Protein backbone atom coordinates (compact mmCIF):
# COMPACT_ATOMS: atom_id res chain seq x y z
CA UNK A 1 0.00 0.00 0.00
CA UNK A 2 1.40 3.41 -0.97
CA UNK A 3 2.13 5.94 1.73
CA UNK A 4 -0.61 8.57 1.98
CA UNK A 5 0.84 11.98 1.12
CA UNK A 6 -0.02 15.06 3.22
CA UNK A 7 -1.39 17.00 0.24
CA UNK A 8 -3.40 16.30 -2.89
CA UNK A 9 -4.63 17.93 -6.08
CA UNK A 10 -8.34 18.72 -6.39
CA UNK A 11 -10.82 20.67 -8.52
CA UNK A 12 -12.46 23.31 -6.37
CA UNK A 13 -15.40 25.48 -7.34
CA UNK A 14 -14.72 29.01 -6.06
CA UNK A 15 -17.56 30.86 -7.79
CA UNK A 16 -19.72 30.79 -10.91
CA UNK A 17 -17.59 29.36 -13.74
CA UNK A 18 -14.55 29.33 -11.45
CA UNK A 19 -13.40 25.72 -11.29
CA UNK A 20 -9.75 25.75 -10.20
CA UNK A 21 -7.10 23.09 -9.61
CA UNK A 22 -5.79 23.54 -6.08
CA UNK A 23 -3.55 21.85 -3.53
CA UNK A 24 -5.38 20.73 -0.36
CA UNK A 25 -4.56 18.59 2.66
CA UNK A 26 -5.54 14.94 2.23
CA UNK A 27 -8.65 14.49 4.42
CA UNK A 28 -8.62 12.18 7.44
CA UNK A 29 -11.48 9.71 7.88
CA UNK A 30 -13.76 10.20 10.87
CA UNK A 31 -15.65 7.40 12.59
CA UNK A 32 -17.35 5.05 10.09
CA UNK A 33 -15.63 6.74 7.14
CA UNK A 34 -13.06 5.48 4.65
CA UNK A 35 -10.43 7.39 2.70
CA UNK A 36 -10.47 6.46 -0.97
CA UNK A 37 -7.67 7.07 -3.45
CA UNK A 38 -9.54 8.13 -6.56
CA UNK A 39 -9.01 6.10 -9.70
CA UNK A 40 -11.86 7.43 -11.84
CA UNK A 41 -14.55 10.09 -11.55
CA UNK A 42 -17.13 10.71 -14.24
CA UNK A 43 -18.49 14.13 -15.12
CA UNK A 44 -22.25 14.55 -14.67
CA UNK A 45 -24.50 17.04 -16.42
CA UNK A 46 -25.42 18.33 -12.96
CA UNK A 47 -21.72 19.11 -12.34
CA UNK A 48 -21.79 21.35 -15.40
CA UNK A 49 -24.95 23.08 -14.13
CA UNK A 50 -23.43 23.53 -10.67
CA UNK A 51 -20.37 25.17 -12.19
CA UNK A 52 -22.29 27.48 -14.52
CA UNK A 53 -25.25 28.50 -12.34
CA UNK A 54 -25.12 26.85 -8.87
CA UNK A 55 -28.82 25.92 -8.65
CA UNK A 56 -28.37 24.10 -5.31
CA UNK A 57 -26.69 26.97 -3.49
CA UNK A 58 -23.24 25.46 -3.01
CA UNK A 59 -21.20 27.32 -0.40
CA UNK A 60 -17.84 28.19 -1.93
CA UNK A 61 -15.18 26.91 -2.03
CA UNK A 62 -16.16 23.30 -2.65
CA UNK A 63 -14.39 20.32 -4.24
CA UNK A 64 -16.70 19.06 -6.97
CA UNK A 65 -17.50 15.58 -8.29
CA UNK A 66 -19.98 12.96 -7.12
CA UNK A 67 -19.49 9.92 -9.38
CA UNK A 68 -16.32 8.18 -8.25
CA UNK A 69 -14.46 4.93 -7.68
CA UNK A 70 -11.09 4.00 -6.28
CA UNK A 71 -9.14 2.07 -3.66
CA UNK A 72 -9.51 2.28 0.12
CA UNK A 73 -6.26 3.49 1.70
CA UNK A 74 -7.39 4.32 5.25
CA UNK A 75 -10.29 3.33 7.51
CA UNK A 76 -11.73 5.36 10.35
CA UNK A 77 -12.79 3.92 13.69
CA UNK A 78 -15.87 1.71 13.53
CA UNK A 79 -15.45 0.60 9.91
CA UNK A 80 -16.41 -3.07 9.88
CA UNK A 81 -16.88 -4.49 6.39
CA UNK A 82 -14.41 -2.59 4.24
CA UNK A 83 -10.66 -3.16 4.26
CA UNK A 84 -7.50 -1.49 3.00
CA UNK A 85 -6.99 -2.25 -0.66
CA UNK A 86 -10.66 -2.85 -1.49
CA UNK A 87 -11.66 -1.64 -4.95
CA UNK A 88 -14.81 0.39 -4.37
CA UNK A 89 -17.47 2.62 -5.90
CA UNK A 90 -19.39 5.20 -3.92
CA UNK A 91 -22.85 6.69 -3.67
CA UNK A 92 -22.57 10.45 -3.08
CA UNK A 93 -25.83 10.98 -1.17
CA UNK A 94 -25.59 10.74 2.61
CA UNK A 95 -28.95 10.55 4.46
CA UNK A 96 -28.93 11.73 8.08
CA UNK A 97 -30.91 8.71 9.32
CA UNK A 98 -32.88 10.64 11.95
CA UNK A 99 -35.16 13.13 10.16
CA UNK A 100 -38.84 12.41 9.51
CA UNK A 101 -38.26 11.31 5.91
CA UNK A 102 -35.42 8.98 6.90
CA UNK A 103 -37.62 7.48 9.62
CA UNK A 104 -40.28 6.85 6.96
CA UNK A 105 -37.70 4.87 4.98
CA UNK A 106 -37.22 7.66 2.44
CA UNK A 107 -33.57 8.44 3.06
CA UNK A 108 -33.17 9.53 -0.56
CA UNK A 109 -35.52 12.44 0.26
CA UNK A 110 -33.76 13.25 3.55
CA UNK A 111 -34.46 16.72 4.95
CA UNK A 112 -30.82 17.07 6.04
CA UNK A 113 -29.23 15.32 3.10
CA UNK A 114 -25.49 15.39 2.58
CA UNK A 115 -24.22 15.32 -1.00
CA UNK A 116 -20.79 15.31 -2.58
CA UNK A 117 -19.99 18.58 -4.28
CA UNK A 118 -22.78 20.45 -2.51
CA UNK A 119 -22.28 20.42 1.26
CA UNK A 120 -19.18 18.21 1.40
CA UNK A 121 -16.11 17.80 -0.77
CA UNK A 122 -16.45 15.41 -3.67
CA UNK A 123 -14.32 13.11 -5.79
CA UNK A 124 -12.69 15.40 -8.35
CA UNK A 125 -9.62 14.98 -6.18
CA UNK A 126 -6.83 12.48 -5.66
CA UNK A 127 -8.44 11.38 -2.38
CA UNK A 128 -11.93 11.67 -0.91
CA UNK A 129 -13.96 10.46 2.08
CA UNK A 130 -17.24 8.59 2.29
CA UNK A 131 -19.27 6.89 5.00
CA UNK A 132 -18.90 3.11 4.93
CA UNK A 133 -22.58 2.36 4.33
CA UNK A 134 -22.51 4.41 1.11
CA UNK A 135 -19.57 2.46 -0.35
CA UNK A 136 -19.64 -0.82 -2.27
CA UNK A 137 -16.84 -3.20 -3.27
CA UNK A 138 -16.51 -3.78 -7.01
CA UNK A 139 -15.07 -6.91 -8.67
CA UNK A 140 -11.57 -6.95 -10.14
CA UNK A 141 -12.92 -7.20 -13.69
CA UNK A 142 -14.97 -4.00 -13.43
CA UNK A 143 -12.98 -0.94 -14.60
CA UNK A 144 -12.97 1.97 -12.17
CA UNK A 145 -14.60 4.26 -14.77
CA UNK A 146 -17.53 1.82 -14.95
CA UNK A 147 -17.62 1.58 -11.15
CA UNK A 148 -18.04 5.35 -11.08
CA UNK A 149 -21.44 4.79 -12.73
CA UNK A 150 -22.84 3.29 -9.50
CA UNK A 151 -24.88 6.37 -8.59
CA UNK A 152 -25.96 7.23 -12.16
CA UNK A 153 -27.30 3.71 -12.57
CA UNK A 154 -28.99 3.87 -9.16
CA UNK A 155 -30.90 7.04 -9.98
CA UNK A 156 -31.90 5.64 -13.36
CA UNK A 157 -33.25 2.57 -11.56
CA UNK A 158 -35.34 4.97 -9.48
CA UNK A 159 -36.81 6.48 -12.66
CA UNK A 160 -37.74 3.03 -13.93
CA UNK A 161 -39.20 2.09 -10.54
CA UNK A 162 -41.32 5.24 -10.40
CA UNK A 163 -42.71 4.35 -13.82
CA UNK A 164 -44.41 1.31 -12.31
CA UNK A 165 -44.79 -2.08 -13.95
CA UNK A 166 -43.17 -1.88 -17.39
CA UNK A 167 -43.79 -5.46 -18.45
CA UNK A 168 -45.12 -5.66 -22.00
CA UNK A 169 -45.60 -1.87 -22.15
CA UNK A 170 -44.28 0.83 -24.44
CA UNK A 171 -41.85 3.19 -22.77
CA UNK A 172 -40.72 6.50 -24.23
CA UNK A 173 -37.52 8.14 -23.05
CA UNK A 174 -37.09 11.76 -24.07
CA UNK A 175 -33.40 12.66 -23.95
CA UNK A 176 -30.36 11.01 -25.52
CA UNK A 177 -27.67 11.84 -22.95
CA UNK A 178 -25.98 9.35 -20.60
CA UNK A 179 -29.04 9.12 -18.34
CA UNK A 180 -31.48 8.63 -21.20
CA UNK A 181 -29.19 5.93 -22.54
CA UNK A 182 -29.00 4.11 -19.20
CA UNK A 183 -32.75 4.43 -18.59
CA UNK A 184 -33.48 2.94 -22.01
CA UNK A 185 -31.31 -0.09 -21.19
CA UNK A 186 -32.96 -0.49 -17.79
CA UNK A 187 -36.46 -0.15 -19.25
CA UNK A 188 -35.76 -3.10 -21.51
CA UNK A 189 -34.36 -5.00 -18.50
CA UNK A 190 -37.60 -4.21 -16.63
CA UNK A 191 -39.64 -5.93 -19.33
CA UNK A 192 -40.78 -3.09 -21.61
CA UNK A 193 -41.98 -4.51 -24.90
CA UNK A 194 -40.97 -1.40 -26.85
CA UNK A 195 -38.44 1.24 -25.86
CA UNK A 196 -38.73 4.47 -27.84
CA UNK A 197 -36.13 7.23 -27.59
CA UNK A 198 -36.44 10.80 -28.75
CA UNK A 199 -33.37 13.03 -28.91
CA UNK A 200 -31.40 15.50 -31.00
CA UNK A 201 -27.89 14.05 -31.37
CA UNK A 202 -27.39 11.26 -33.94
CA UNK A 203 -24.13 10.09 -32.34
CA UNK A 204 -25.77 9.65 -28.96
CA UNK A 205 -28.95 8.09 -30.33
CA UNK A 206 -27.04 5.38 -32.15
CA UNK A 207 -25.33 4.48 -28.85
CA UNK A 208 -28.61 3.18 -27.38
CA UNK A 209 -28.98 -0.57 -28.07
CA UNK A 210 -32.35 -2.06 -28.89
CA UNK A 211 -34.28 1.22 -28.93
CA UNK A 212 -36.56 2.59 -31.61
CA UNK A 213 -35.37 6.09 -32.44
CA UNK A 214 -38.06 8.74 -32.98
CA UNK A 215 -37.21 12.05 -34.62
CA UNK A 216 -40.81 13.10 -33.97
CA UNK A 217 -43.02 11.66 -31.26
CA UNK A 218 -46.61 10.69 -32.20
CA UNK A 219 -49.51 11.43 -29.87
CA UNK A 220 -50.73 8.64 -27.59
CA UNK A 221 -47.97 6.16 -28.42
CA UNK A 222 -46.61 5.32 -24.96
CA UNK A 223 -47.80 3.82 -21.71
CA UNK A 224 -44.85 5.41 -19.91
CA UNK A 225 -42.85 8.53 -20.71
CA UNK A 226 -39.66 9.40 -18.85
CA UNK A 227 -38.26 12.91 -19.05
CA UNK A 228 -34.46 12.62 -19.29
CA UNK A 229 -33.69 16.12 -20.49
CA UNK A 230 -34.23 19.36 -18.62
CA UNK A 231 -36.45 21.55 -20.75
CA UNK A 232 -40.12 22.49 -20.72
CA UNK A 233 -40.75 21.62 -24.37
CA UNK A 234 -39.84 18.00 -23.63
CA UNK A 235 -42.50 17.84 -20.91
CA UNK A 236 -45.19 18.61 -23.46
CA UNK A 237 -43.69 15.97 -25.76
CA UNK A 238 -44.03 13.41 -22.97
CA UNK A 239 -47.56 14.47 -22.10
CA UNK A 240 -48.86 14.24 -25.66
CA UNK A 241 -47.21 10.86 -26.15
CA UNK A 242 -49.06 9.22 -23.26
CA UNK A 243 -51.99 6.93 -23.81
CA UNK A 244 -54.94 7.21 -21.40
CA UNK A 245 -53.90 6.11 -17.90
CA UNK A 246 -50.27 6.65 -18.92
CA UNK A 247 -47.62 7.83 -16.48
CA UNK A 248 -44.94 10.50 -16.94
CA UNK A 249 -41.82 10.37 -14.77
CA UNK A 250 -39.92 13.61 -14.22
CA UNK A 251 -36.31 12.45 -13.94
CA UNK A 252 -34.43 15.54 -15.13
CA UNK A 253 -34.68 18.89 -13.38
CA UNK A 254 -36.64 21.59 -15.18
CA UNK A 255 -35.94 24.96 -13.61
CA UNK A 256 -38.05 27.20 -15.84
CA UNK A 257 -41.84 27.56 -15.37
CA UNK A 258 -43.93 25.00 -17.24
CA UNK A 259 -47.43 25.31 -18.64
CA UNK A 260 -49.12 21.98 -17.90
CA UNK A 261 -52.31 20.78 -19.61
CA UNK A 262 -54.22 19.65 -16.52
CA UNK A 263 -57.36 19.13 -18.57
CA UNK A 264 -55.60 16.27 -20.39
CA UNK A 265 -54.44 14.89 -17.04
CA UNK A 266 -58.08 14.94 -15.96
CA UNK A 267 -59.85 13.49 -19.00
CA UNK A 268 -57.15 10.88 -19.84
CA UNK A 269 -56.49 9.99 -16.18
CA UNK A 270 -52.77 10.58 -16.59
CA UNK A 271 -50.25 10.31 -13.76
CA UNK A 272 -47.16 12.41 -13.08
CA UNK A 273 -44.40 11.13 -10.79
CA UNK A 274 -41.10 12.60 -9.71
CA UNK A 275 -37.87 10.61 -9.51
CA UNK A 276 -35.13 12.15 -7.37
CA UNK A 277 -32.02 10.35 -6.10
CA UNK A 278 -32.82 6.69 -5.41
CA UNK A 279 -34.64 4.65 -2.83
CA UNK A 280 -32.30 1.84 -1.69
CA UNK A 281 -31.04 1.08 -5.19
CA UNK A 282 -27.27 0.87 -4.51
CA UNK A 283 -27.04 -2.92 -4.51
CA UNK A 284 -29.28 -3.29 -7.55
CA UNK A 285 -27.10 -0.69 -9.31
CA UNK A 286 -24.01 -2.72 -8.46
CA UNK A 287 -25.66 -5.81 -9.93
CA UNK A 288 -26.39 -3.85 -13.11
CA UNK A 289 -22.80 -2.68 -13.39
CA UNK A 290 -21.71 -6.33 -13.14
CA UNK A 291 -24.31 -7.45 -15.72
CA UNK A 292 -22.38 -7.84 -18.98
CA UNK A 293 -25.60 -7.91 -21.02
CA UNK A 294 -26.25 -4.23 -20.21
CA UNK A 295 -22.87 -3.22 -21.69
CA UNK A 296 -22.63 -0.21 -19.40
CA UNK A 297 -18.95 0.15 -20.22
CA UNK A 298 -20.08 1.72 -23.49
CA UNK A 299 -21.56 4.66 -21.58
CA UNK A 300 -18.04 5.94 -20.77
CA UNK A 301 -16.77 6.98 -24.19
CA UNK A 302 -13.70 8.94 -23.02
CA UNK A 303 -11.15 8.57 -20.24
CA UNK A 304 -8.96 11.65 -19.78
CA UNK A 305 -6.09 12.14 -17.34
CA UNK A 306 -6.91 14.31 -14.33
CA UNK A 307 -4.26 16.88 -15.24
CA UNK A 308 -6.09 17.44 -18.55
CA UNK A 309 -9.36 18.19 -16.74
CA UNK A 310 -10.04 21.34 -18.78
CA UNK A 311 -10.13 19.23 -21.94
CA UNK A 312 -12.44 16.73 -20.20
CA UNK A 313 -14.91 19.39 -19.10
CA UNK A 314 -14.92 21.01 -22.53
CA UNK A 315 -15.67 17.63 -24.10
CA UNK A 316 -18.45 16.91 -21.59
CA UNK A 317 -19.98 20.34 -22.21
CA UNK A 318 -19.57 20.74 -25.95
CA UNK A 319 -18.77 17.34 -27.44
CA UNK A 320 -22.22 15.80 -27.66
CA UNK A 321 -21.53 14.82 -31.26
CA UNK A 322 -18.67 12.52 -30.20
CA UNK A 323 -18.91 11.88 -26.44
CA UNK A 324 -21.42 10.38 -24.03
CA UNK A 325 -19.86 10.11 -20.56
CA UNK A 326 -16.39 11.52 -19.85
CA UNK A 327 -14.26 10.14 -17.02
CA UNK A 328 -11.31 11.75 -15.28
CA UNK A 329 -8.75 9.05 -14.52
CA UNK A 330 -6.03 9.25 -11.88
CA UNK A 331 -2.61 7.61 -11.88
Amino acid sequence: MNTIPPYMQALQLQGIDQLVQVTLPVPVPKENEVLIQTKAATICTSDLHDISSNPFGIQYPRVMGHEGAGIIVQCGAGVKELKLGNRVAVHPVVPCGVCEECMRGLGHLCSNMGHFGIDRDGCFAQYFLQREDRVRKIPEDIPFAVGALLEPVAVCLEAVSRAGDMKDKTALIVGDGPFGNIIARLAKRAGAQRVLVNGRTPFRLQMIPGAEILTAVPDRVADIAILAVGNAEAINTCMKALRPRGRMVIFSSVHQPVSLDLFSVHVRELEIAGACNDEHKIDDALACICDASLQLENIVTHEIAFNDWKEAFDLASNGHDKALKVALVFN
Side-chain angles (χ1 to χ4, degrees):
M1 186 65 60
N2 294 332
T3 302
I4 301 170
Y7 295 97
M8 66 179 185
Q9 296 297 297
L11 300 182
Q12 190 180 70
L13 189 63
Q14 299 179 349
I16 296 295
D17 286 327
Q18 296 179 39
L19 189 65
V20 180
Q21 185 172 342
V22 297
T23 301
L24 296 174
V26 173
V28 177
K30 303 181 184 68
E31 187 173 6
N32 299 321
E33 289 184 337
V34 292
L35 177 66
I36 299 167
Q37 182 181 20
T38 316
K39 291 299 182 181
T42 46
I43 299 172
C44 180
T45 303
S46 65
D47 293 321
L48 304 178
H49 292 160
D50 290 339
I51 293 165
S52 64
S53 61
N54 193 10
F56 293 104
I58 297 166
Q59 296 296 305
Y60 306 126
R62 177 64 62 204
V63 175
M64 300 301 293
H66 61 269
E67 301 172 358
I71 297 174
I72 294 178
V73 294
Q74 190 176 5
C75 297
V79 172
K80 298 176 181 177
E81 301 297 329
L82 300 174
K83 308 294 182 186
L84 298 183
N86 285 162
R87 304 172 82 253
V88 296
V90 301
H91 196 297
V93 174
V94 185
C96 73
V98 296
C99 72
E100 182 177 350
E101 307 314 325
C102 284
M103 297 306 289
R104 293 173 60 204
L106 301 177
H108 67 302
L109 302 178
C110 172
S111 301
N112 305 305
M113 182 181 295
H115 198 297
F116 281 10
I118 295 180
D119 73 327
R120 60 199 62 204
D121 286 343
C123 56
F124 290 157
Q126 291 174 307
Y127 296 86
F128 66 97
L129 298 173
Q130 183 54 308
R131 206 170 68 190
E132 181 184 28
D133 64 304
R134 310 302 286 171
V135 179
R136 293 293 185 273
K137 289 183 280 190
I138 57 174
E140 290 288 338
D141 62 341
I142 299 298
F144 286 110
V146 177
L149 298 177
L150 182 72
E151 187 261 0
V153 173
V155 298
C156 289
L157 284 166
E158 180 74 6
V160 171
S161 174
R162 295 288 286 157
D165 183 11
M166 282 199 177
K167 186 173 174 56
D168 297 329
K169 294 182 179 177
T170 296
L172 167 69
I173 292 87
V174 177
D176 56 19
F179 289 104
N181 190 310
I182 295 171
I183 291 169
R185 295 167 192 246
L186 297 179
K188 181 64 71 173
R189 173 180 178 263
Q193 183 178 53
R194 297 177 68 198
V195 177
L196 315 176
V197 179
N198 173 246
R200 297 179 176 176
T201 313
F203 168 80
R204 290 184 158 195
L205 289 167
Q206 59 89 26
M207 295 281 290
I208 304 174
E212 300 176 42
I213 306 305
L214 301 179
T215 54
V217 181
D219 291 353
R220 302 195 181 202
V221 71
D223 304 293
I224 296 155
I226 300 178
L227 180 76
V229 63
N231 67 63
E233 178 184 351
I235 288 182
N236 291 324
T237 299
C238 288
M239 287 284 291
K240 292 177 181 178
L242 288 175
R243 294 170 175 155
R245 286 260 174 120
R247 177 180 292 191
M248 175 171 64
V249 177
I250 307 297
F251 171 80
S252 291
S253 299
V254 179
H255 296 283
Q256 65 266 44
V258 174
S259 177
L260 195 61
D261 181 5
L262 292 180
F263 183 72
S264 290
V265 174
H266 167 55
V267 298
R268 288 156 55 201
E269 293 193 350
L270 304 179
E271 299 179 6
I272 301 173
C276 184
N277 296 320
D278 63 279
E279 185 179 359
H280 312 302
K281 300 288 191 295
I282 301 180
D283 293 313
D284 196 6
L286 180 61
C288 289
I289 286 172
C290 297
D291 183 348
S293 70
L294 289 173
Q295 299 181 309
L296 291 173
E297 68 276 5
N298 294 335
I299 299 294
V300 181
T301 55
H302 293 76
E303 297 186 18
I304 296 177
F306 173 72
N307 285 337
D308 296 323
W309 61 270
K310 291 182 181 179
E311 174 190 344
F313 276 85
D314 180 68
L315 185 61
S317 299
N318 305 309
H320 293 181
D321 59 340
K322 55 188 173 183
L324 194 56
K325 195 77 162 173
V326 179
L328 294 173
V329 293
F330 297 71
N331 294 328

